[in-house]
Amino acid sequence: MSAVLRGTGAAPGSAVGRLVVARVGAGGVPTPAAPADIPEALDTVARHMDDLAGALRTRGRPAEADIVEFAALIARDRELRDGAARHLAAGLAPIDALAAAVHDFADLLAGFDDELIAERAVDVRDVGRQAEALLRGEDPTGGQLPGGAPAVLVGAELAAMDLLRGPQPAAAVSERGGPTGHLAIVARSLGIPLVLGIPVDALAELAEDLILVDGEAGTVEANAGARVRTIPAPRRVPGGGAGQAMTRDGRRIRVRANVATVSDALAAAEAGSEGVGLLRTELPFLTEESGWPDEERQVAVLAPVLAAVPPGPVVVRTLDFTGDKRPPFLRDRRITLPGSDALTAQLRGIMRAAAETGVEVALLLPMVDHPRRIKHVRGLLAAACAELGLAPPPLGAMVELPQVLDQVDDLAEHADFLSLGTNDLTSRLLGLSRDDPRLTPASAAHPRVLHAIAQTIRAGHARGRAVSLCGDAAADPAVLPHLVRLGCDAVSVAPTALSRVRAAVRAY
C-alpha cells in the first residue's frame, strides 16, 4: 500500500511499528477468578487502577497517576453502581445491565456543556469495558502487546489508560477523541506519537505491514518496502538547541516549558527551557476527598517540583479545578475556584516552597472573569507575604474567558502580566467542545481567536505588561508565526516541543 491515511496529529513525533488493535478481553485469556457480580467487577477494576497508579508514582509519573486514580473513582462511583442495580432489577443480565448503566452514565457526562466534564465519558466507557471483560472471565487489560516489532496501538476510542498499562506502544492511532483530551495529554507527556480521526477499518489492510505514524503531520502510511528499515531516532531539530530564541530581526521570544511534575521539570531542564511558563498545581490533588489542600500539603507537593525546574522565572498557576479536573470533594459543587481561606493557604504554601528552594516565582490566576478578582487576590497575597516576611511576587491573569476581553484594558492595568490560555479561549470563542475533533491547537489561527490574542497583546503592551501564551497552540506551526507577528513576548509549551519551537522562532 502506498496511499497515506490522513487524520489529525495530536502528539508530535514519528515511529514505526506493527499495528495492534486494542481490545479489552482479547483472546479470552481467563482471569484467576471471575467476579461474582457487578460490584465485585467494578471493585476489581478500581484495584487494578490503584495498582497502576502506584506503579506510575514509583516511576516518577504522578500526573499520569492522578488520571488513573480518577478512573478508579469512576469505578467506585455510586451513580454508576446504582444504575447497574436498576437495570438488573428491570430484568437485564449482569453484563447487559452494566453496559446499560455505563451507557447512561457516559451519555450524562457527554451531555454537559462543560467540555472537560464531557471528555470523561471516554473514561467511563473504558472502566465499563474492563468490568464487562471481568464478568466474562477475560483479561480486562486485553493482554500484553506482542513482542518483536514495536506496537502501534489503534482503537475506535483509545483511553489514556491504554497508553499507561502494560508495555508502552511506539505510537497510537484512535478513531475518536480530541487533541485536548486526556489521551492526547498523556501521549504528549510520554512522547508517544498520536494520530486521531482515522477509522480502524481503514487501517485493517495494514495489519501485516510495518507502518509509519507521524503525530505531527497526522498521517499513517505503510512501510513501502525498504524505505523505512529502522525505528527513527528522536528528532533533532536544526537550530532548536538550548538558549535564547531570537527572530531574524533580533526580537527575543522567551520559550518556556509547561510542567506539573518532577519528571516534567527535569525534562524541561534537560531541554534547556528558559524557566517555566506554566506550573500546574492542581494535578496532585485530583483525588482529594476531605477538602481543599492545606498549606503544609501545598509545600510538600510543590517544593520537589520547584527543586527540579530549569534556571529562570517560574510561573505558578493557582489551583484550577474547573472542567473535568474536579476532585471528589468538589464533585457536586458549582464553584471550583478556591475561596479566600483556601487560596491564602495555597499562596502561603507557594511562597514557602519558593523560599525553601530559592526559586523566583510569579503567580498566575486562572479563569479570571473580572479585574476585581486580581485586586482581591493581590490583597490576600500581600498579607500572606507580610506574615512570612517575604516580598510579594508578580501576579498575573489568565485570559481564557471571552467575557474578560471586554475588560482586558482594565485587567492589564491591575495585573503584572497576562497569559493567554488558548485551549479554553479557542473552545469558547468557536463554540466547540474540548473533545471535538475539529478543535485542534491549529484552531487558534481562526480569525476570531487571533483577534482576541491581538487585543490582549495590545492591551498588555500599552501598559508595559508582558503577554505570554501557555496553550497547546504555541507549539503549532500554523499558529506560532501569528504569535510572533502579533508581538507575543513568550510562549510556553510541553518539554518535548521546546527544541522545535525555538527553531521555528529563530527561522522567523
Side-chain angles (χ1 to χ4, degrees), residues 25 35 70 79 90 94 106 239 293 307 312 318 336-337 342 369 373 377 492 496 498 502:
F70 203 90
E79 186 169 349
T318 58
T336 54
L337 293 175
D369 59 356
R373 177 160 171 76
V377 174
S492 184
T496 54
L498 286 166
R502 280 193 296 260

Side-chain angles (χ1 to χ4, degrees), residues 311-405:
V314 176
V315 178
V316 181
R317 186 176 67 187
T318 58
L319 290 168
D320 179 13
F321 285 139
T322 53
D324 70 336
K325 298 177 294 183
R326 280 174 203 251
F329 77 91
L330 285 176
R331 182 172 300 167
D332 299 322
R333 301 187 191 179
R334 184 174 183 83
I335 302 300
T336 54
L337 293 175
S340 294
D341 290 345
L343 183 54
T344 294
Q346 186 180 29
L347 296 177
R348 287 177 58 90
I350 292 171
M351 295 311 300
R352 284 176 53 195
E356 288 179 11
T357 56
V359 173
E360 175 192 351
V361 299
L363 300 188
L364 179 63
L365 290 184
M367 294 291 166
V368 176
D369 59 356
H370 195 280
R372 62 174 171 262
R373 177 160 171 76
I374 285 285
K375 302 175 192 177
H376 171 67
V377 174
R378 192 178 294 281
L380 298 178
L381 180 60
C385 289
E387 292 172 357
L388 295 170
L390 300 170
L395 178 64
M398 285 198 75
V399 178
E400 53 189 335
L401 299 177
Q403 60 263 38
V404 84
L405 293 171

Side-chain angles (χ1 to χ4, degrees), residues 42 67 86 127 161 246 268 280 317:
L42 290 171
I67 291 174
R86 288 193 297 270
V127 166
M161 272 67 73
M246 307 282 290
R280 301 180 176 96
R317 186 176 67 187

Side-chain angles (χ1 to χ4, degrees), residues 118-407:
E119 286 178 359
R120 299 322 298 253
V122 177
D123 301 313
V124 173
R125 287 190 285 268
D126 181 68
V127 166
R129 285 190 289 266
Q130 293 182 63
E132 288 176 39
L134 284 167
L135 289 172
R136 293 188 181 94
E138 298 171 348
D139 177 5
T141 69
Q144 299 293 307
L145 296 177
V152 174
L153 191 65
V154 306
E157 185 181 53
L158 294 182
M161 272 67 73
D162 291 316
L163 304 184
L164 294 170
R165 56 190 169 221
Q168 182 173 307
V173 183
S174 182
E175 184 171 338
R176 295 191 293 275
T180 60
H182 271 165
L183 172 67
I185 291 171
V186 169
R188 288 192 288 269
S189 174
L190 297 178
I192 298 174
L194 172 66
V195 175
L196 304 173
I198 296 180
V200 174
D201 290 347
L203 295 163
E205 61 186 281
L206 305 182
E208 301 304 318
D209 296 327
L210 284 175
I211 59 175
L212 172 63
V213 177
D214 189 324
E216 193 165 333
T219 58
V220 176
E221 58 182 310
N223 189 355
R227 187 169 63 85
V228 181
R229 292 186 175 274
T230 60
I231 306 302
R235 290 184 174 179
R236 303 295 181 188
V237 181
Q244 298 180 359
M246 307 282 290
T247 63
R248 289 182 177 179
D249 62 1
R251 187 158 64 89
R252 183 180 176 190
I253 308 292
R254 287 165 173 81
V255 180
R256 298 169 176 155
N258 296 332
V259 308
T261 66
V262 172
S263 57
D264 288 342
L266 292 172
E270 184 178 355
S273 179
E274 295 186 73
V276 171
L278 177 65
L279 197 164
R280 301 180 176 96
T281 59
E282 61 276 353
L283 292 185
F285 302 116
L286 288 182
T287 58
E288 290 290 323
E289 297 273 0
S290 57
W292 293 95
D294 61 18
E295 181 179 331
E296 296 303 324
R297 284 273 285 139
Q298 302 279 358
V299 175
V301 168
L302 186 58
V305 181
L306 289 179
V309 296
V314 176
V315 178
V316 181
R317 186 176 67 187
T318 58
L319 290 168
D320 179 13
F321 285 139
T322 53
D324 70 336
K325 298 177 294 183
R326 280 174 203 251
F329 77 91
L330 285 176
R331 182 172 300 167
D332 299 322
R333 301 187 191 179
R334 184 174 183 83
I335 302 300
T336 54
L337 293 175
S340 294
D341 290 345
L343 183 54
T344 294
Q346 186 180 29
L347 296 177
R348 287 177 58 90
I350 292 171
M351 295 311 300
R352 284 176 53 195
E356 288 179 11
T357 56
V359 173
E360 175 192 351
V361 299
L363 300 188
L364 179 63
L365 290 184
M367 294 291 166
V368 176
D369 59 356
H370 195 280
R372 62 174 171 262
R373 177 160 171 76
I374 285 285
K375 302 175 192 177
H376 171 67
V377 174
R378 192 178 294 281
L380 298 178
L381 180 60
C385 289
E387 292 172 357
L388 295 170
L390 300 170
L395 178 64
M398 285 198 75
V399 178
E400 53 189 335
L401 299 177
Q403 60 263 38
V404 84
L405 293 171
D406 292 336
Q407 307 166 83

